[in-house]
Amino acid sequence: MSLDLAFFQRILSTLSEGLLTTLVLAALAIALSALWGVPLVMGLLSRSRLLSRLTGAYIEVVRNTPVLVQMFFIFFGSGTLGYPLSGFATGLIAMVLQNGAYIAEIYRGGIQSIPGQQAEGGLALGLTPRRAFRIVILPQALRKVIPPLSNQGILIIKDTSLVATISVAELTFHARMLADRTAAVFEIFFTLAVFYLIITAVFGGAMRLLERRIRIA
């Protein structure tokens, strides 16, 4: 079987139409998931047993149900309630709700990996608990969580392909439309895979540079 290189060139422009949507969705989902993980990890580490248990229950629910099911639930549920959400908003909300839970666990692992004696040392020097956390614990925890955050970000980028099922015109949606019109499934999805490979490689490289810079600092 020979590859039609001319066909690859013709479909690049069509796939590129969905590239911006994929990049915007991925960037927003990564940033908002990282932010949503902060109050979640605060809930997990809270001294309030009720708050800790409620946060843990939320995390278990969203982590143990497929994000695609959550998208359908939000998409059709919002319409049933009379406040229909767009496919883009639905996909973004579902990915943030789920990935924020994973990121909260990443944050917790990073924080709890720092020996308690270091916080005690900060308190002995006259720091308040908040300042001891911000100055002593947090910088060390950040160094530890960058690699797993990078992996989670790559998972988010790949999960953006799922919003094609709720008619969001991103990369995979355009690939499916092209495949239906041309039946050139191999060429189209090979090109699609290259697109995702490039995006994830660039993101992974940026995260490695960030990790190296934080370690040097």
Side-chain angles (χ1 to χ4, degrees):
M1 181 177 62
S2 59
L3 298 179
D4 187 351
L5 296 180
F7 182 74
F8 283 134
Q9 296 175 351
R10 291 196 299 272
I11 66 175
L12 279 177
S13 60
T14 302
L15 289 180
S16 296
E17 294 175 9
L19 178 60
L20 179 60
T21 301
T22 293
L23 292 176
V24 171
L25 180 59
L28 287 174
I30 291 170
L32 294 177
S33 295
L35 290 175
W36 179 227
V38 174
L40 289 179
V41 74
M42 290 174 65
L44 285 174
L45 299 177
S46 173
R47 294 180 180 178
S48 168
R49 182 174 298 180
L50 176 61
L51 180 57
S52 178
R53 287 183 175 179
L54 287 175
T55 307
Y58 162 82
I59 289 175
E60 286 301 310
V61 169
V62 297
R63 286 199 312 171
N64 293 318
T65 54
V67 67
L68 184 58
V69 173
Q70 294 170 20
M71 286 183 190
F72 287 149
F73 180 80
I74 296 170
F75 187 71
F76 294 109
S78 64
T80 301
L81 295 174
Y83 300 95
L85 295 173
S86 67
F88 186 95
T90 296
L92 179 60
I93 292 171
M95 286 193 291
V96 169
L97 291 177
Q98 183 171 95
N99 288 282
Y102 282 102
I103 289 175
E105 290 289 2
I106 291 172
Y107 289 161
R108 179 167 70 166
I111 292 169
Q112 293 182 336
S113 69
I114 308 302
Q117 292 86 344
Q118 298 201 26
E120 294 172 2
L123 296 175
L125 293 174
L127 298 176
T128 64
R130 287 188 178 181
R131 293 197 67 189
F133 177 80
R134 181 168 56 87
I135 297 173
V136 179
I137 302 298
L138 189 58
Q140 298 181 74
L142 284 176
R143 293 185 178 94
K144 293 178 177 291
V145 301
I146 292 297
L149 283 179
S150 177
N151 293 335
Q152 196 65 38
I154 289 173
L155 290 176
I156 292 174
I157 292 170
K158 294 188 293 184
D159 278 350
T160 59
S161 63
L162 297 175
V163 300
T165 60
I166 47 178
S167 301
V168 178
E170 45 72 69
L171 276 172
T172 303
F173 179 87
H174 282 284
R176 288 172 55 188
M177 296 294 290
L178 277 171
D180 290 341
R181 291 201 303 264
T182 66
V185 177
F186 178 81
E187 292 91 339
I188 291 168
F189 283 96
F190 177 84
T191 307
L192 179 66
V194 171
F195 268 95
Y196 281 111
L197 180 62
I198 293 172
I199 296 170
T200 54
V202 171
F203 175 79
M207 291 298 287
R208 284 192 292 273
L209 288 175
L210 176 62
E211 180 185 7
R212 190 177 307 166
R213 185 166 185 175
I214 289 177
R215 285 181 176 175
I216 292 174

